[in-house]
mmCIF file of all heavy atoms in Angstrom:
data_model
loop_
_atom_site.group_PDB
_atom_site.id
_atom_site.type_symbol
_atom_site.label_atom_id
_atom_site.label_comp_id
_atom_site.label_asym_id
_atom_site.label_seq_id
_atom_site.Cartn_x
_atom_site.Cartn_y
_atom_site.Cartn_z
ATOM 1 N N ALA A 80 12.033 -10.879 -6.841
ATOM 2 C CA ALA A 80 12.012 -11.517 -8.162
ATOM 3 C C ALA A 80 13.078 -10.940 -9.091
ATOM 4 O O ALA A 80 13.541 -11.621 -10.011
ATOM 5 C CB ALA A 80 10.632 -11.361 -8.793
ATOM 6 N N MET A 81 13.477 -9.692 -8.848
ATOM 7 C CA MET A 81 14.495 -9.045 -9.669
ATOM 8 C C MET A 81 15.911 -9.307 -9.162
ATOM 9 O O MET A 81 16.879 -8.783 -9.704
ATOM 10 C CB MET A 81 14.244 -7.540 -9.723
ATOM 11 C CG MET A 81 12.951 -7.146 -10.420
ATOM 12 S SD MET A 81 12.890 -7.672 -12.150
ATOM 13 C CE MET A 81 14.137 -6.601 -12.866
ATOM 14 N N GLY A 82 16.028 -10.102 -8.100
ATOM 15 C CA GLY A 82 17.341 -10.465 -7.598
ATOM 16 C C GLY A 82 17.865 -9.606 -6.474
ATOM 17 O O GLY A 82 19.038 -9.725 -6.088
ATOM 18 N N SER A 83 17.024 -8.747 -5.922
ATOM 19 C CA SER A 83 17.456 -7.921 -4.792
ATOM 20 C C SER A 83 17.456 -8.733 -3.502
ATOM 21 O O SER A 83 16.712 -9.711 -3.365
ATOM 22 C CB SER A 83 16.521 -6.714 -4.620
ATOM 23 O OG SER A 83 16.563 -5.875 -5.748
ATOM 24 N N ILE A 84 18.297 -8.319 -2.563
ATOM 25 C CA ILE A 84 18.312 -8.894 -1.216
ATOM 26 C C ILE A 84 17.392 -8.022 -0.371
ATOM 27 O O ILE A 84 17.677 -6.841 -0.149
ATOM 28 C CB ILE A 84 19.735 -8.901 -0.643
ATOM 29 C CG1 ILE A 84 20.668 -9.705 -1.553
ATOM 30 C CG2 ILE A 84 19.743 -9.446 0.777
ATOM 31 C CD1 ILE A 84 22.137 -9.438 -1.320
ATOM 32 N N VAL A 85 16.266 -8.572 0.062
ATOM 33 C CA VAL A 85 15.213 -7.763 0.671
ATOM 34 C C VAL A 85 15.097 -8.034 2.166
ATOM 35 O O VAL A 85 14.953 -9.194 2.590
ATOM 36 C CB VAL A 85 13.848 -8.018 -0.007
ATOM 37 C CG1 VAL A 85 12.762 -7.139 0.614
ATOM 38 C CG2 VAL A 85 13.942 -7.761 -1.516
ATOM 39 N N TYR A 86 15.175 -6.971 2.946
ATOM 40 C CA TYR A 86 14.900 -7.010 4.382
ATOM 41 C C TYR A 86 13.534 -6.364 4.616
ATOM 42 O O TYR A 86 13.103 -5.495 3.857
ATOM 43 C CB TYR A 86 15.953 -6.239 5.174
ATOM 44 C CG TYR A 86 17.370 -6.686 4.945
ATOM 45 C CD1 TYR A 86 18.180 -6.029 4.023
ATOM 46 C CD2 TYR A 86 17.908 -7.752 5.663
ATOM 47 C CE1 TYR A 86 19.494 -6.428 3.809
ATOM 48 C CE2 TYR A 86 19.224 -8.156 5.458
ATOM 49 C CZ TYR A 86 20.012 -7.491 4.527
ATOM 50 O OH TYR A 86 21.301 -7.887 4.323
ATOM 51 N N VAL A 87 12.878 -6.750 5.681
ATOM 52 C CA VAL A 87 11.554 -6.211 6.011
ATOM 53 C C VAL A 87 11.541 -5.765 7.461
ATOM 54 O O VAL A 87 12.086 -6.453 8.337
ATOM 55 C CB VAL A 87 10.449 -7.263 5.766
ATOM 56 C CG1 VAL A 87 9.112 -6.785 6.330
ATOM 57 C CG2 VAL A 87 10.313 -7.569 4.281
ATOM 58 N N THR A 88 10.929 -4.607 7.726
ATOM 59 C CA THR A 88 10.645 -4.197 9.104
ATOM 60 C C THR A 88 9.141 -4.228 9.307
ATOM 61 O O THR A 88 8.373 -3.969 8.377
ATOM 62 C CB THR A 88 11.173 -2.776 9.406
ATOM 63 O OG1 THR A 88 10.337 -1.800 8.751
ATOM 64 C CG2 THR A 88 12.608 -2.605 8.938
ATOM 65 N N GLU A 89 8.709 -4.552 10.515
ATOM 66 C CA GLU A 89 7.276 -4.691 10.774
ATOM 67 C C GLU A 89 7.019 -4.610 12.269
ATOM 68 O O GLU A 89 7.845 -5.050 13.079
ATOM 69 C CB GLU A 89 6.783 -6.025 10.199
ATOM 70 C CG GLU A 89 5.299 -6.309 10.311
ATOM 71 C CD GLU A 89 4.403 -5.194 9.816
ATOM 72 O OE1 GLU A 89 4.303 -4.979 8.600
ATOM 73 O OE2 GLU A 89 3.812 -4.535 10.691
ATOM 74 N N ILE A 90 5.872 -4.020 12.656
ATOM 75 C CA ILE A 90 5.482 -3.949 14.062
ATOM 76 C C ILE A 90 4.469 -5.033 14.430
ATOM 77 O O ILE A 90 4.354 -5.405 15.593
ATOM 78 C CB ILE A 90 4.883 -2.563 14.407
ATOM 79 C CG1 ILE A 90 3.603 -2.304 13.598
ATOM 80 C CG2 ILE A 90 5.902 -1.458 14.171
ATOM 81 C CD1 ILE A 90 2.781 -1.138 14.093
ATOM 82 N N ASP A 91 3.736 -5.530 13.439
ATOM 83 C CA ASP A 91 2.664 -6.497 13.658
ATOM 84 C C ASP A 91 3.244 -7.914 13.581
ATOM 85 O O ASP A 91 3.803 -8.297 12.545
ATOM 86 C CB ASP A 91 1.599 -6.299 12.571
ATOM 87 C CG ASP A 91 0.404 -7.217 12.726
ATOM 88 O OD1 ASP A 91 0.546 -8.307 13.319
ATOM 89 O OD2 ASP A 91 -0.682 -6.852 12.238
ATOM 90 N N PRO A 92 3.143 -8.702 14.655
ATOM 91 C CA PRO A 92 3.743 -10.045 14.631
ATOM 92 C C PRO A 92 3.153 -10.963 13.569
ATOM 93 O O PRO A 92 3.844 -11.855 13.071
ATOM 94 C CB PRO A 92 3.485 -10.581 16.041
ATOM 95 C CG PRO A 92 2.394 -9.734 16.610
ATOM 96 C CD PRO A 92 2.526 -8.391 15.964
ATOM 97 N N ILE A 93 1.887 -10.752 13.191
ATOM 98 C CA ILE A 93 1.284 -11.600 12.151
ATOM 99 C C ILE A 93 1.913 -11.295 10.796
ATOM 100 O O ILE A 93 2.353 -12.193 10.075
ATOM 101 C CB ILE A 93 -0.245 -11.401 12.111
ATOM 102 C CG1 ILE A 93 -0.886 -11.868 13.418
ATOM 103 C CG2 ILE A 93 -0.846 -12.160 10.923
ATOM 104 C CD1 ILE A 93 -2.371 -11.611 13.510
ATOM 105 N N CYS A 94 1.970 -10.007 10.439
ATOM 106 C CA CYS A 94 2.613 -9.626 9.177
ATOM 107 C C CYS A 94 4.096 -9.978 9.206
ATOM 108 O O CYS A 94 4.666 -10.370 8.183
ATOM 109 C CB CYS A 94 2.425 -8.130 8.919
ATOM 110 S SG CYS A 94 0.718 -7.641 8.566
ATOM 111 N N ALA A 95 4.714 -9.846 10.374
ATOM 112 C CA ALA A 95 6.130 -10.189 10.515
ATOM 113 C C ALA A 95 6.352 -11.674 10.233
ATOM 114 O O ALA A 95 7.304 -12.052 9.534
ATOM 115 C CB ALA A 95 6.622 -9.829 11.914
ATOM 116 N N LEU A 96 5.481 -12.513 10.770
ATOM 117 C CA LEU A 96 5.599 -13.951 10.536
ATOM 118 C C LEU A 96 5.379 -14.288 9.063
ATOM 119 O O LEU A 96 6.049 -15.162 8.504
ATOM 120 C CB LEU A 96 4.603 -14.706 11.416
ATOM 121 C CG LEU A 96 4.682 -16.237 11.373
ATOM 122 C CD1 LEU A 96 6.073 -16.730 11.778
ATOM 123 C CD2 LEU A 96 3.612 -16.846 12.276
ATOM 124 N N GLN A 97 4.444 -13.568 8.426
ATOM 125 C CA GLN A 97 4.238 -13.759 6.985
ATOM 126 C C GLN A 97 5.504 -13.428 6.205
ATOM 127 O O GLN A 97 5.874 -14.159 5.279
ATOM 128 C CB GLN A 97 3.087 -12.881 6.505
ATOM 129 C CG GLN A 97 1.717 -13.368 6.945
ATOM 130 C CD GLN A 97 0.614 -12.447 6.449
ATOM 131 O OE1 GLN A 97 0.734 -11.230 6.537
ATOM 132 N NE2 GLN A 97 -0.439 -13.015 5.927
ATOM 133 N N ALA A 98 6.158 -12.340 6.579
ATOM 134 C CA ALA A 98 7.399 -11.962 5.905
ATOM 135 C C ALA A 98 8.446 -13.058 6.049
ATOM 136 O O ALA A 98 9.137 -13.416 5.081
ATOM 137 C CB ALA A 98 7.919 -10.639 6.460
ATOM 138 N N CYS A 99 8.579 -13.607 7.255
ATOM 139 C CA CYS A 99 9.542 -14.686 7.489
ATOM 140 C C CYS A 99 9.198 -15.917 6.651
ATOM 141 O O CYS A 99 10.086 -16.544 6.046
ATOM 142 C CB CYS A 99 9.570 -15.048 8.964
ATOM 143 S SG CYS A 99 10.224 -13.749 10.043
ATOM 144 N N MET A 100 7.915 -16.272 6.608
ATOM 145 C CA MET A 100 7.496 -17.449 5.851
ATOM 146 C C MET A 100 7.623 -17.239 4.348
ATOM 147 O O MET A 100 7.725 -18.201 3.580
ATOM 148 C CB MET A 100 6.041 -17.812 6.205
ATOM 149 C CG MET A 100 5.839 -18.246 7.646
ATOM 150 S SD MET A 100 6.694 -19.784 8.031
ATOM 151 C CE MET A 100 5.662 -20.964 7.179
ATOM 152 N N ASP A 101 7.620 -15.979 3.913
ATOM 153 C CA ASP A 101 7.813 -15.664 2.495
ATOM 154 C C ASP A 101 9.293 -15.570 2.130
ATOM 155 O O ASP A 101 9.643 -15.282 0.979
ATOM 156 C CB ASP A 101 7.115 -14.342 2.144
ATOM 157 C CG ASP A 101 5.605 -14.485 2.093
ATOM 158 O OD1 ASP A 101 5.121 -15.618 1.891
ATOM 159 O OD2 ASP A 101 4.894 -13.462 2.243
ATOM 160 N N GLY A 102 10.156 -15.776 3.120
ATOM 161 C CA GLY A 102 11.574 -15.840 2.837
ATOM 162 C C GLY A 102 12.341 -14.555 3.013
ATOM 163 O O GLY A 102 13.468 -14.424 2.526
ATOM 164 N N PHE A 103 11.754 -13.590 3.732
ATOM 165 C CA PHE A 103 12.432 -12.322 3.944
ATOM 166 C C PHE A 103 13.019 -12.268 5.349
ATOM 167 O O PHE A 103 12.475 -12.835 6.287
ATOM 168 C CB PHE A 103 11.466 -11.149 3.736
ATOM 169 C CG PHE A 103 10.897 -11.094 2.348
ATOM 170 C CD1 PHE A 103 9.574 -11.429 2.103
ATOM 171 C CD2 PHE A 103 11.694 -10.719 1.282
ATOM 172 C CE1 PHE A 103 9.045 -11.391 0.813
ATOM 173 C CE2 PHE A 103 11.178 -10.679 -0.006
ATOM 174 C CZ PHE A 103 9.859 -11.023 -0.240
ATOM 175 N N ARG A 104 14.119 -11.557 5.490
ATOM 176 C CA ARG A 104 14.765 -11.388 6.784
ATOM 177 C C ARG A 104 14.095 -10.239 7.520
ATOM 178 O O ARG A 104 14.064 -9.108 7.014
ATOM 179 C CB ARG A 104 16.256 -11.093 6.566
ATOM 180 C CG ARG A 104 17.015 -10.752 7.835
ATOM 181 C CD ARG A 104 17.460 -11.970 8.610
ATOM 182 N NE ARG A 104 18.106 -11.559 9.854
ATOM 183 C CZ ARG A 104 19.369 -11.175 9.947
ATOM 184 N NH1 ARG A 104 20.133 -11.134 8.859
ATOM 185 N NH2 ARG A 104 19.883 -10.832 11.117
ATOM 186 N N LEU A 105 13.547 -10.509 8.690
ATOM 187 C CA LEU A 105 12.890 -9.476 9.486
ATOM 188 C C LEU A 105 13.930 -8.795 10.364
ATOM 189 O O LEU A 105 14.632 -9.453 11.136
ATOM 190 C CB LEU A 105 11.782 -10.090 10.342
ATOM 191 C CG LEU A 105 10.885 -9.078 11.043
ATOM 192 C CD1 LEU A 105 9.902 -8.461 10.060
ATOM 193 C CD2 LEU A 105 10.140 -9.713 12.203
ATOM 194 N N VAL A 106 14.025 -7.480 10.260
ATOM 195 C CA VAL A 106 15.053 -6.727 10.979
ATOM 196 C C VAL A 106 14.448 -5.456 11.561
ATOM 197 O O VAL A 106 13.322 -5.073 11.235
ATOM 198 C CB VAL A 106 16.212 -6.331 10.035
ATOM 199 C CG1 VAL A 106 16.917 -7.563 9.478
ATOM 200 C CG2 VAL A 106 15.708 -5.433 8.900
ATOM 201 N N LYS A 107 15.216 -4.796 12.413
ATOM 202 C CA LYS A 107 14.925 -3.428 12.790
ATOM 203 C C LYS A 107 15.698 -2.518 11.842
ATOM 204 O O LYS A 107 16.802 -2.861 11.407
ATOM 205 C CB LYS A 107 15.331 -3.160 14.242
ATOM 206 C CG LYS A 107 14.475 -3.903 15.257
ATOM 207 C CD LYS A 107 14.875 -3.540 16.681
ATOM 208 C CE LYS A 107 13.963 -4.230 17.691
ATOM 209 N NZ LYS A 107 14.329 -3.871 19.090
ATOM 210 N N LEU A 108 15.132 -1.357 11.550
ATOM 211 C CA LEU A 108 15.736 -0.484 10.549
ATOM 212 C C LEU A 108 17.161 -0.100 10.923
ATOM 213 O O LEU A 108 18.051 -0.047 10.070
ATOM 214 C CB LEU A 108 14.867 0.767 10.352
ATOM 215 C CG LEU A 108 15.261 1.702 9.213
ATOM 216 C CD1 LEU A 108 15.335 0.959 7.882
ATOM 217 C CD2 LEU A 108 14.272 2.866 9.114
ATOM 218 N N ASN A 109 17.394 0.131 12.222
ATOM 219 C CA ASN A 109 18.741 0.568 12.621
ATOM 220 C C ASN A 109 19.790 -0.528 12.463
ATOM 221 O O ASN A 109 20.988 -0.255 12.502
ATOM 222 C CB ASN A 109 18.735 1.107 14.055
ATOM 223 C CG ASN A 109 18.336 0.068 15.087
ATOM 224 O OD1 ASN A 109 18.146 -1.105 14.750
ATOM 225 N ND2 ASN A 109 18.213 0.480 16.333
ATOM 226 N N GLU A 110 19.365 -1.764 12.275
ATOM 227 C CA GLU A 110 20.304 -2.868 12.096
ATOM 228 C C GLU A 110 20.902 -2.917 10.693
ATOM 229 O O GLU A 110 21.986 -3.470 10.496
ATOM 230 C CB GLU A 110 19.615 -4.202 12.410
ATOM 231 C CG GLU A 110 19.162 -4.348 13.857
ATOM 232 C CD GLU A 110 18.316 -5.577 14.086
ATOM 233 O OE1 GLU A 110 17.913 -6.243 13.098
ATOM 234 O OE2 GLU A 110 18.029 -5.892 15.252
ATOM 235 N N VAL A 111 20.186 -2.366 9.721
ATOM 236 C CA VAL A 111 20.640 -2.490 8.324
ATOM 237 C C VAL A 111 20.805 -1.149 7.622
ATOM 238 O O VAL A 111 21.200 -1.116 6.461
ATOM 239 C CB VAL A 111 19.647 -3.364 7.514
ATOM 240 C CG1 VAL A 111 19.611 -4.785 8.055
ATOM 241 C CG2 VAL A 111 18.246 -2.742 7.501
ATOM 242 N N ILE A 112 20.521 -0.048 8.313
ATOM 243 C CA ILE A 112 20.450 1.246 7.641
ATOM 244 C C ILE A 112 21.779 1.653 7.021
ATOM 245 O O ILE A 112 21.814 2.369 6.013
ATOM 246 C CB ILE A 112 19.931 2.335 8.621
ATOM 247 C CG1 ILE A 112 19.453 3.562 7.844
ATOM 248 C CG2 ILE A 112 20.988 2.691 9.652
ATOM 249 C CD1 ILE A 112 18.303 3.322 6.937
#
Side-chain angles (χ1 to χ4, degrees):
M81 295 299 291
S83 297
I84 301 163
V85 182
Y86 304 96
V87 170
T88 73
E89 183 51 73
I90 62 166
D91 182 334
I93 296 175
C94 292
L96 185 58
Q97 287 179 315
C99 293
M100 295 295 287
D101 287 337
F103 299 108
R104 174 83 184 278
L105 189 76
V106 297
K107 292 183 177 181
L108 187 55
N109 62 5
E110 296 172 350
V111 296
I112 197 63

